Amino acid sequence: DNVPIVQEWIDKWFWRGTRLLSIVGMMMDYMLPNKVMSWKEAWEVYFEQAGGALFKDLSRYGIRMPKYSDVIVKEKEHVSHQAWWIFYNFGHAAGFHTWIPTDEEMDWLSAKYPDTFDKYY
């Protein structure tokens, strides 16, 4: 009987949580001095694979993937770059220090986002 209530909370907090995680993605792609993986790679491992397996198991109880998860999966190519651009342009208002990535960092981003980074950013 509680499945609709639980599903509604999952949908609500998944959306809000991923909006906040865009800052984590920005930090992973732009701020870490020794990058381990890109935001896109992390999203694929921790949500698409692990989360997908979790929701596959939960489907027997009637719980489905969060609403708009397909939108978030498409955003993995862009969200960290968009967040960085916003913080870069409005750093004076946010009080958040940003900088132009070095050539080496730009090459790393191009390699990690081959379909979108050079084309859009």
Side-chain angles (χ1 to χ4, degrees):
D1 291 342
N2 290 331
V3 168
I5 296 167
V6 170
Q7 186 67 56
E8 185 178 326
W9 277 86
I10 290 170
D11 293 343
K12 174 184 176 178
W13 290 106
F14 172 78
W15 182 257
R16 290 182 179 187
T18 54
R19 298 298 93 194
L20 186 60
L21 280 175
S22 65
I23 297 171
V24 173
M26 174 187 79
M27 291 177 173
M28 285 180 71
D29 283 347
Y30 288 89
M31 301 181 89
L32 290 177
N34 300 315
K35 296 170 177 57
V36 177
M37 67 174 67
S38 68
W39 170 251
K40 177 184 167 184
E41 292 168 327
W43 185 258
E44 290 169 350
V45 169
Y46 297 114
F47 180 74
E48 291 178 17
Q49 293 173 14
L54 170 66
F55 282 102
K56 186 177 179 183
D57 288 346
L58 291 175
S59 68
R60 74 180 87 169
Y61 303 110
I63 301 293
R64 59 169 173 68
M65 285 289 276
K67 191 176 185 180
Y68 303 119
S69 59
D70 57 328
V71 173
I72 304 298
V73 167
K74 292 175 188 171
E75 287 183 353
K76 71 184 176 188
E77 291 277 348
H78 300 280
V79 72
S80 67
H81 314 306
Q82 291 170 347
W84 185 257
W85 181 81
I86 290 167
F87 276 91
Y88 182 79
N89 280 311
F90 299 104
H92 62 283
F96 201 91
H97 177 67
T98 56
W99 55 89
I100 296 173
T102 65
D103 289 339
E104 184 179 285
E105 291 170 325
M106 296 289 273
D107 291 341
W108 185 86
L109 289 164
S110 292
K112 296 297 180 176
Y113 298 92
D115 299 330
T116 57
F117 189 75
D118 288 334
K119 184 176 181 180
Y120 298 113
Y121 306 103

